[in-house]
Amino acid sequence: MRALPAEHAIVSAGYALRDVQRWRDGRIETDQDCIAEELPIALLYNDRPHVVMMATPRDLDDFVLGFSLSEAVIDHADELSDVQIHALLEGIEVRVRIPGAHAEVLEGRRRNLTGGTSCGLCGAQALEDAVRQPAPVDAGVEIDPRALHRALDHLQDLQPLNTATGATHAAAWAHADGSIALLREDVGRHNALDKLIGAMTRAGERVSAGFAVITSRASYEMVQKAATVGIPVLAAISAPTALAIQLAESTGVTLIGFARNNSHVIYTQPHAATGSRREHAA
């Protein structure tokens, strides 16, 4: 791959401006549109290629940390070091160092994935790679339904990239009272969650003290990532899949879907999101 000149720093708003022809009220007019950026991001651990993800080229430090944690490449943030991000003509290359023991485990998985924005595990070579079973999560705080919808009400206002382009997902971390502490955006829903996990880790957020909200469906990979880092409650504005529900049940994650328009559906662990935990304990 060919490196770009040094003056091409990786500073991205996440979108590009493009001239377009817009049809409106029977007339054609020239206009400018904000288009979400999507580039291949190659991730190398200890100089060994591991995965290429199509992602929005912003918050890449959060992305590599969150991906490394949610995919169980490392156990703790301080095991990731010497992060080097290089802009190339073909995309972006991210090189990181991890402990040798983790690198050996990673090599043993024999995974060299090419993930798209709708699939995070394309190319897994074994069933155990595709459906990894995380350990059960610790119990979190009870989430009042009003707190969940308080977070949902503020979600759109905190998505500048989606406001500009209409093409990105978001993952947000909210405290128990529904106040949103962190939010990350990306063209890929998996990437947005990984970026959020990285940002939460850097900020020292306690996973037991809040809940995550995603602007997408809740596929099993999203539950898998949440459970791997210990997030106890995951709320999606769209539907879950059957495997996501099964995985949430087995790991103790409270999974919520169709969270919008002042309503939602609780699929697993309902006591954590209905205020009934105390009743169960009584």
Side-chain angles (χ1 to χ4, degrees):
M1 300 178 80
R2 296 160 291 168
L4 290 174
E7 62 268 18
H8 287 261
I10 305 175
V11 178
S12 172
Y15 65 86
L17 291 175
R18 293 289 184 268
D19 291 333
V20 298
Q21 299 296 309
R22 190 183 304 278
W23 187 92
R24 180 184 288 136
D25 296 329
R27 296 187 302 169
I28 291 288
E29 56 186 29
T30 299
D31 200 355
Q32 275 199 325
D33 206 359
C34 295
I35 310 298
E37 287 191 293
E38 183 178 30
L39 292 176
I41 312 293
L43 185 54
L44 293 81
Y45 292 98
N46 296 8
D47 298 321
R48 294 283 292 176
H50 177 62
V51 66
V52 177
M53 300 296 291
M54 298 303 297
T56 303
R58 59 185 287 177
D59 301 313
L60 293 181
D61 285 345
D62 290 336
F63 174 61
V64 65
L65 176 57
F67 178 90
S68 300
L69 289 168
S70 74
E71 291 295 317
V73 175
I74 57 174
D75 298 320
H76 306 286
D78 59 8
E79 293 175 328
L80 196 72
S81 64
D82 193 24
V83 179
Q84 299 180 26
I85 302 175
H86 303 285
L88 308 172
L89 290 178
E90 298 88 345
I92 295 175
E93 184 180 81
V94 183
R95 292 177 175 266
V96 298
R97 306 297 299 180
I98 58 175
H102 288 307
E104 290 179 10
V105 171
L106 200 61
E107 186 69 21
R109 292 183 189 175
R110 297 179 60 84
R111 293 175 65 190
N112 191 346
L113 314 181
T114 300
T117 56
S118 63
C119 176
L121 288 172
C122 300
Q125 295 181 357
L127 290 176
E128 57 267 29
D129 288 335
V131 189
R132 176 173 44 83
Q133 178 71 32
V137 303
D138 293 333
V141 296
E142 289 187 7
I143 305 301
D144 189 300
R146 291 168 295 185
L148 170 59
H149 288 278
R150 188 175 301 119
L152 291 167
D153 288 343
H154 291 94
L155 199 60
Q156 187 171 354
D157 295 335
L158 300 175
Q159 299 177 62
L161 187 53
N162 190 60
T163 298
T165 68
T168 57
H169 288 293
W173 178 250
H175 293 156
D177 63 358
S179 60
I180 294 179
L182 292 164
L183 184 143
R184 291 294 183 269
E185 296 180 273
D186 197 278
V187 290
R189 54 194 169 87
H190 309 98
N191 304 334
L193 183 55
D194 279 335
K195 288 179 179 181
L196 176 67
I197 290 169
M200 288 170 57
T201 303
R202 292 181 189 282
E205 292 284 340
R206 291 190 302 115
V207 293
S208 61
F211 57 96
V213 181
I214 55 176
T215 63
S216 66
R217 72 181 186 275
S219 59
Y220 82 92
E221 308 103 303
M222 304 295 274
V223 174
Q224 186 182 70
K225 287 176 178 294
T228 298
V229 299
I231 292 174
V233 180
L234 179 66
I237 67 170
S238 192
T241 65
L243 186 55
I245 295 172
Q246 180 180 331
L247 190 60
E249 190 67 56
S250 66
T251 55
V253 171
T254 298
L255 181 60
I256 298 171
F258 295 108
R260 53 194 174 187
N261 300 326
N262 206 34
S263 69
H264 60 270
V265 179
I266 306 171
Y267 291 90
T268 61
Q269 319 299 330
H271 54 276
T274 60
S276 61
R277 181 178 289 164
R278 294 187 184 90
E279 296 175 9
H280 282 258

